[in-house]
Amino acid sequence: MVSSGILSKAAKSFGFDVETLAFISNSTNEVYRFSKNDSQYILRLSEKSFDYVNRINAEVHWVRYLAENGIQASLPITTTDGELTAVYNENEKWVIATAFQMASGIFFDREPGMWGPSLFHQWGELMGKIHSLTKSYNPGDLSLKRAEWGPAILDNPHLREGSYRILLDKLQSLESLISSFPKDEKSYGLIHYDFHPYNFLIDQGKITVFDFDDAIYGWFALDIGVAAAHAVWWGSPKHDRKSKREFATRFLNEFLTGYLKQNSLETYWIQQIPLFMDYRNISSFFWWLSSWDGDEGHLSEFQKSAIANAVERIQKGLPFDGCDIQL
């Protein structure tokens, strides 16, 4: 957790009373809510190296572009000096602060009746519009450019041993295939890369998307695959393989109907979506285990079960549940 000194500096940078801060979460970033002029905002604090500042500036620059062109997104606000970010140094660590208007609405699981074809259709339509706008987006300043997709860099030696090696081989096999895919402006551009159901709120039937922190240059079909994989994780009515396959098919039929209203995508790329879903599933293990110390006793029962099931599927030559579909 950052110090009270950093929080006070952030309050001064964005012009709000530090006493209004309320902690929300601490995973990839520390996230707080604050009040200013009777409105609610989000403060995001990222402990990164100093050279990461340009990447975050690139993120918020793109989000502002999308919002200015009709995307319902949580709009970044500037500091009192008119900057998109504020940067602080404390104890030889850099903290990068950004602030956003707080999206209105509720998550999909607050009202179960919202989770269905209409929402899937709108979700797809919003992503299609983002991808369409991406094609004409030019950051201008080369420093305002997000990273390109690339194979994962894994520094944890424990993930190269025993059954974890099976997971790694699966990941690297998919990465090798993905690396061979062509790139062109019709299929590849700046994508959200984490547009899952807990990264948007719904207000009177309208979606507001947020958390563009993972945005990269990648394939549009990859962005769709990420959304679909998460939809199956959290939204399939049952958890057996058959039910997940049926749900994935229904979800993507609705999602793509909305998507294709806003952005065209060749059949070849639509057919790759299950592969990208499989890739997202296997990648999740390496996100969970990135700082694992090799002690299996430190894994949750959920993680142990998920890993065992994944290894069994891979050894049988099966994709993950919900990814065994054809489009």
Side-chain angles (χ1 to χ4, degrees), residues 73-209:
S74 186
L75 186 67
I77 65 170
T78 58
T79 66
T80 55
D81 296 328
E83 300 295 328
L84 291 171
T85 56
V87 187
Y88 317 112
N89 182 267
E90 185 178 72
N91 299 325
E92 299 183 354
K93 293 182 179 179
W94 293 97
V95 177
I96 308 165
T98 45
F100 304 83
Q101 293 177 352
M102 191 168 182
S104 61
I106 59 176
F107 288 113
F108 75 101
D109 54 358
R110 290 286 298 278
E111 291 184 12
M114 293 192 303
W115 184 250
S118 178
L119 179 64
F120 306 157
H121 185 103
Q122 187 188 162
W123 186 358
E125 193 166 355
L126 181 55
M127 183 182 285
K129 190 172 182 180
I130 290 173
H131 291 174
S132 180
L133 285 169
T134 283
K135 295 175 182 177
S136 58
Y137 175 64
N138 182 357
D141 185 344
L142 290 179
S143 69
L144 294 175
K145 191 173 189 300
R146 295 289 290 183
E148 302 268 347
W149 177 89
I153 299 173
L154 301 175
D155 298 323
N156 190 335
H158 305 296
L159 302 179
R160 302 180 182 277
E161 302 172 355
S163 61
Y164 302 97
R165 183 75 215 184
I166 295 171
L167 298 177
L168 180 57
D169 288 345
K170 171 72 172 180
L171 174 68
Q172 292 178 335
S173 173
L174 287 172
E175 288 177 335
S176 178
L177 178 57
I178 292 169
S179 295
S180 71
F181 286 158
K183 301 175 184 179
D184 60 64
E185 64 179 14
K186 293 181 179 180
S187 62
Y188 187 93
L190 192 50
I191 60 175
H192 187 287
Y193 200 39
D194 201 28
F195 197 168
H196 61 64
Y198 288 108
N199 274 340
F200 62 78
L201 292 175
I202 307 154
D203 188 12
Q204 298 181 6
K206 297 293 184 181
I207 291 175
T208 299
V209 59

Side-chain angles (χ1 to χ4, degrees), residues 50-59 143-146:
F50 184 77
D51 58 8
Y52 204 86
V53 174
N54 281 341
R55 289 190 61 182
I56 292 183
N57 277 326
E59 172 204 345
S143 69
L144 294 175
K145 191 173 189 300
R146 295 289 290 183

Side-chain angles (χ1 to χ4, degrees), residues 5-23:
I6 291 291
L7 295 177
S8 294
K9 289 178 180 179
K12 184 176 180 180
S13 295
F14 291 98
F16 65 87
D17 183 349
V18 70
E19 296 299 323
T20 69
L21 276 173
F23 176 76

